[in-house]
Amino acid sequence: MTEIRLPTADRRIEPYAMTGEPIRIERCDAGSFPRIAFAAAHVVADPLADNDPWLTPAIDWEKTLRFRHYLWDLGLAVAEAMDTAQRGMGLGWPEARELITRSVAEAKTRPGAVIACGAGTDHLAPGRDITIDDVIRAYEEQVEAVEAAGGSIILMASRALAAAAKGPDDYARVYDRVLAQVKEPVIIHWLGEMFDPALEGYWGSADHWAAMDTCLDVLAAHASKIDGIKISLLSKEKEIAMRRRLPKGVRMYTGDDFNYAELIAGDGEGHSDALLGIFDAIAPAASAALAALGRGSRDEFFGILEPTVPLSRHVFKAPTRFYKTGVVFLAYLNGLQDHFVMIGGQESARSLLHLADLFRFADRARVLHDPERAAARMAKVLAVHGVG
């Protein structure tokens, strides 16, 4: 049994005996899953680059693309250049465009690999002089770039639109124009303000229920151009209510990193597919659980996935926008990258105690691939912080 000394909330350092038996990592075919499952993938920083980490992102392209192959090996689809990739928190549009181009090219080398890419307006800095027409042109530019690369589109929520819109009609105008032009059905992304405070009041109202009505009107008006909608509001009640009102043929992709297990399993009136940042961190568990659900074993599905929920709730605790730190930390613990360095210096966004608790939750969720390696890497992080 592996043991490691970890800090506690009362400022003590206590031994922790690891108990989790790792979930086996097995290649899987998405065809065995009864749900579509996207993992929003992170980027791997280049720790040896001579750059200013807060200002200029440096990406290790080889390891970033290798991580996408790891997700495809497990049967998961890749949601590229999304919030988990630090879009708008270190990853700018020039880097995102290159990431999309490289990742779509990699997907084409693998039969059956699924990828969808974020198109937004993040190259347009919000300001008082930004107009709705500016927002439309910005969306058009990124949509064109993704389509030129051969990628499917996830239409991301826009900070610039949130700043420029005067009400629901402005949202309808933007989405009407953009959706009329897309070549293939897209996934709409409604990212809540808990993930990005700049998106508060999206769809023209601070009341999520009123905002939902506006969003549903847009979906109904363009159902043939929409594959589905991902909502990230961390509220199963709101997701289920919206899911039951979706136009025929439009999918609900859960973005609820607090309640995903029960939302994916579904109820007598429907289920959610998945587009989740936590699936980056718990990919083998997600794959195994979905395969079990595909075999008709709901008990096994919940037995695998439910223990990961406390971990996810910890990773995504407020301030939720810093969840990327936990995702990358788990990739480091699991040997999926050789360092705990992030673009934008975001490895500093969570406390040592937060990381220690994350380690405990990950062990209990059985998502540490090699407990001894994970403990050794945790010990290195502790040592940097003066804990021996």
Side-chain angles (χ1 to χ4, degrees):
M1 181 182 298
T2 304
E3 188 173 280
I4 183 172
R5 291 172 58 80
L6 296 174
T8 64
D10 57 4
R11 305 181 68 86
R12 291 186 294 166
I13 309 298
E14 293 186 343
Y16 172 75
M18 300 178 69
T19 59
E21 179 182 348
I23 292 170
R24 292 182 61 184
I25 301 175
E26 297 182 320
R27 293 180 70 101
C28 197
D29 189 324
S32 65
F33 298 164
R35 309 283 187 265
I36 298 173
F38 282 93
H42 76 280
V43 296
V44 181
D46 179 357
L48 300 180
D50 183 13
N51 68 315
D52 186 332
W54 283 21
L55 301 177
T56 308
I59 299 171
D60 185 328
W61 292 110
E62 179 183 355
K63 290 186 174 60
T64 292
L65 295 174
R66 185 185 303 165
F67 186 80
R68 279 116 183 96
H69 282 281
Y70 157 78
L71 296 174
W72 287 321
D73 285 345
L74 292 166
L76 299 174
V78 169
E80 190 56 277
M82 298 295 293
D83 194 50
T84 307
Q86 297 180 243
R87 190 80 176 264
M89 287 186 67
L91 189 78
W93 170 237
E95 296 80 25
R97 182 172 52 204
E98 182 173 0
L99 176 62
I100 289 166
T101 300
R102 287 173 178 264
S103 293
V104 170
E106 286 293 313
K108 291 177 180 178
T109 69
R110 296 183 57 126
V114 175
I115 187 169
C117 308
T121 67
D122 48 320
H123 61 293
L124 184 64
R128 293 182 179 179
D129 58 337
I130 298 298
T131 68
I132 295 301
D133 285 335
D134 292 329
V135 174
I136 291 171
R137 284 190 290 269
Y139 265 129
E140 290 172 339
E141 179 180 334
Q142 293 202 15
V143 165
E144 182 180 4
V146 174
E147 290 181 337
S152 298
I153 290 169
I154 302 170
L155 206 60
M156 301 177 70
S158 166
R159 290 176 176 174
L161 176 55
K166 304 302 182 185
D169 289 348
D170 284 335
Y171 286 86
R173 178 183 165 198
V174 170
Y175 282 90
D176 285 350
R177 284 280 299 276
V178 175
L179 290 170
Q181 301 176 59
V182 295
K183 295 179 180 178
E184 296 180 357
V186 306
I187 298 173
I188 303 291
H189 188 191
W190 179 5
L191 190 68
E193 65 276 5
M194 63 288 295
F195 286 87
D196 186 344
L199 296 175
E200 186 171 5
Y202 210 75
W203 301 109
S205 176
D207 180 337
H208 287 162
W209 297 104
M212 188 184 298
D213 290 338
T214 300
C215 181
L216 284 164
D217 287 344
V218 169
L219 299 181
H222 301 278
S224 65
K225 292 293 189 81
I226 298 171
D227 169 66
I229 178 161
K230 165 189 161 73
I231 65 169
S232 299
L233 300 179
L234 301 183
S235 167
K236 64 180 179 181
E237 293 80 12
K238 291 171 184 173
E239 179 173 321
I240 291 170
M242 189 173 187
R243 188 172 74 193
R244 291 174 178 169
R245 297 174 61 193
L246 289 176
K248 185 177 181 180
V250 175
R251 298 176 180 273
M252 171 60 76
Y253 288 92
T254 185
D256 188 337
D257 298 278
F258 282 7
N259 304 290
Y260 49 90
E262 57 187 293
L263 290 165
I264 293 169
D267 54 32
E269 297 185 51
H271 64 264
S272 297
D273 292 289
L275 201 165
L276 290 161
I278 195 59
F279 275 13
D280 174 301
I282 64 163
S287 176
L290 287 164
L293 191 63
R295 296 191 297 270
S297 179
R298 287 175 66 93
D299 288 346
E300 187 180 358
F301 168 83
F302 280 111
I304 295 169
L305 207 57
E306 197 65 40
T308 70
V309 173
L311 167 65
S312 188
R313 286 175 174 258
H314 181 72
V315 169
F316 285 81
K317 71 184 294 186
T320 302
R321 63 187 180 277
F322 296 134
Y323 78 85
K324 298 92 169 172
T325 302
V327 168
V328 174
F329 187 59
L330 278 164
Y332 168 65
L333 292 179
N334 281 326
L336 297 166
Q337 57 188 72
D338 298 328
H339 56 80
F340 179 40
V341 174
M342 299 174 66
I343 61 174
Q346 288 290 312
E347 66 273 12
S348 65
R350 294 293 200 186
S351 69
L352 182 63
L353 182 60
H354 178 92
L355 298 178
D357 285 340
L358 185 153
F359 184 93
R360 295 182 182 96
F361 282 121
D363 174 52
R364 295 166 190 155
R366 302 172 56 210
V367 297
L368 295 177
H369 301 178
D370 181 333
E372 290 189 6
R373 177 180 58 199
R377 292 192 166 198
M378 183 76 224
K380 291 180 179 179
V381 173
L382 291 167
V384 169
H385 288 78
V387 178

